[in-house]
Amino acid sequence: MALRWKEYVELADALNKAYPDQTLADMEDAELIKLVKALPDFHDDSEPDETTLMAVMARWISVAYPED
Amino acid sequence: MAEKRTEFESLGGNNLDGIGGNAKKITYTAEDGTKRSLQIDCGMKFSDKTLTGVDNYIAPLECDDLLVTHAHADHIAGIIHHIQMNPERPLNIYADKFTHMFMAAEMAKQGLPLDNMPKFHDVEDGKKFNVNGFEIEPVPVTHSAPGAIAFVVESPDGTRLLDMGDFKTTPAELGKGWDDKRFAEVFAKGIDVCFCDSTSTTSKETTPSYEKVTKGFKKILYDNPNAQMMVGTIARSAQQMMADVIAVAEYAKETGTKPKTFILDGASLVMVNNCLNKAGISMTKTCKDRTGVSVNIIDAKSPEARNVPPNERIYMVTGTQGEELAAMARTARGENRNIKPSRSCPNLCVNQQAVIPSGDNQAIVDEMMAALKAQGWKTMIPERGAPFVEGETYYVSGHGRAGDMEKVAEIAAANMPKDRQCTFIGIHGNEEQTKATEEIFKAKGQKVEHITNAQKVEVSNGDVKVAKTIGRATRIAVIDQNDDFRDPDFKYVKETFNPVAKKWEEVAEVPYKKILDPAANKFKGNNGKGGRGGKKGHRHKINPAVMAQVAKRSR
Ligand SMILES: [Zn+2]
């Protein structure tokens, strides 16, 4: 299934699988966009706004730290 | 022709039974009778489910335009539930950038679809904006949460109300905070009614500043120069964490040693650090600008964390009140893969938050600290209400005390126009607390009034009147029928407060649409493989047998 910005929950899961050792505490938007665009299943030409980027980031962080 | 007027109503927060569920509504009625309103905050009030059967209560959300003062649950946690109850409503939220980022992150954490996210509008000090005919001026204040804001709301007829939000009157460490001059300006323009945070106004003196935390924390570093540290904190109350970071930088400078590294363990802390960076108030940059020292802040899972020598590590963790799934309790149970006591250096655990006196919190935190001690951690925890000791105290509150209110009264008195006296009203507290606030202003020669929830304050032609009759306050009981935050099955019940009988009465169940993405919870705990129930805020005593085992393993 093609990943898009809108399905940020699936997108975050894919990011966590692809980059398990990534430092997340200080990741900047530009870096996040680069990593998302490098995912083989990602196909979306739309521009994410900052709320969307925060949503992807927050989901990724909560998948990476599942306990807390 | 009706008389034009501006009304303020505390929808929640001026409770008879304790703090929480803060929400305020401002309504302007024009001469032709048309009304326009906006709301400030929509918070949650915690409930002891074992006594009430209710997880928590949320304030009503009566307007589509919402100003948010700061990122604490008692001001924002109602919002996502209201979105579930009415996903189509066009909700506009006006908040500081950090608060915006934090709210978006929290909503995403719970799986709120992007289409249902509110529209966020970032507000900034000095930039007035217009909402529904009201002119709004955000004014920064200092609170434990960064980005805390007070709002001046000016009605079309020129009535000016000031909601101070949660505040104290000493400087912030992170971002903009309290500034006497800024409030002198605000009062000089005339304020008809000022609403003040009453949380701590029954306490004397002024709440100590975050600078004092830096001093106290630095003393801990001097006393334990070679220790691996674990520090318990509240993630979204990042002002205190910032004070710790500055302490580390100053200690390194004073001793000529390498600064210790902050290692954030847990989603909330990693997320807050990320939100701070996005809001332009990075802790590392703030520290570098202030002290000239670079302090590393990394996450516990990054490979870099493993390369930091134990005696250079300061793990920041959540779970100061012994919350079962938070990093501190998991470390106490020997279940935290990221944090173990070191064998090569002393281990020190600083719980940087006093026990909140509620339920059996004290016993639970005592057990957790004892379990850590049994593993070889030296432990420290501040005593609630202990007097402030310069250079020793390492925890301060974000709420102003009597001395802070006196300062507000003095600034107001010195600056307000002679022909426009301000009336002060206590909010964010129970009767005793709000009355204490009003007594402080009265003693300073100021006009005061007193309200409870659903008791309107009306301003017309500069006259301030409190309604004699009290309406019915409303709240929504939130009940998770699964009793499992990983897979909540919410039931919402509307209740109203009968001011004569002084009790809450059930009105009706509120239907809602399940819009949170269930996939958002599948990775929670045990990677979704089931196992122990997951009540995030849940606390229980650590079984002594488990404690003994953990201690044995660690020796
Ligand atoms: Zn509050």
Side-chain angles (χ1 to χ4, degrees), chain B residues 40-148:
Chain B
I40 306 177
D41 295 332
C42 181
M44 174 181 277
K45 183 172 186 290
F46 294 102
S47 161
D48 186 341
K49 197 170 186 178
T50 51
L51 298 175
T52 60
V54 170
D55 287 84
N56 29 60
Y57 297 100
I58 58 168
L61 182 56
E62 296 191 354
C63 308
D64 293 336
D65 293 302
L66 181 67
L67 314 182
V68 174
T69 58
H70 64 284
H72 280 154
D74 61 330
H75 297 258
I76 62 167
I79 301 167
I80 193 165
H81 294 290
H82 284 288
I83 293 173
Q84 289 214 87
M85 285 181 267
N86 188 359
E88 309 309 328
R89 99 187 283 167
L91 185 60
N92 284 289
I93 294 185
Y94 302 82
D96 162 83
K97 184 77 176 268
F98 169 76
T99 311
H100 159 195
M101 286 297 151
F102 184 85
M103 281 192 285
E106 276 290 305
M107 288 173 182
K109 215 171 143 183
Q110 296 174 61
L112 183 70
L114 282 177
D115 288 345
N116 298 110
M117 287 259 182
K119 191 164 166 37
F120 290 101
H121 306 262
D122 295 339
V123 309
E124 262 178 70
D125 179 23
K127 288 195 183 156
K128 290 182 189 166
F129 56 96
N130 205 282
V131 175
N132 210 9
F134 295 92
E135 189 182 73
I136 319 291
E137 182 181 359
V139 187
V141 288
T142 300
H143 185 45
S144 46

Side-chain angles (χ1 to χ4, degrees), chain A residues 8 23-25 29 59 64-65, chain B residues 108-109 112 274 278 299 301:
Chain A
Y8 69 91
T23 299
L24 304 176
D29 284 347
R59 279 299 318 157
Y65 289 88
Chain B
K109 215 171 143 183
L112 183 70
N274 203 288
K278 295 216 162 83
D299 37 328
K301 281 208 163 164

Side-chain angles (χ1 to χ4, degrees), chain B residues 19 22 70 72 74-75 143 166 197 199 399 428:
Chain B
I19 280 179
N22 298 290
H70 64 284
H72 280 154
D74 61 330
H75 297 258
H143 185 45
D166 290 9
D197 169 11
T199 314
H399 296 278
H428 201 293

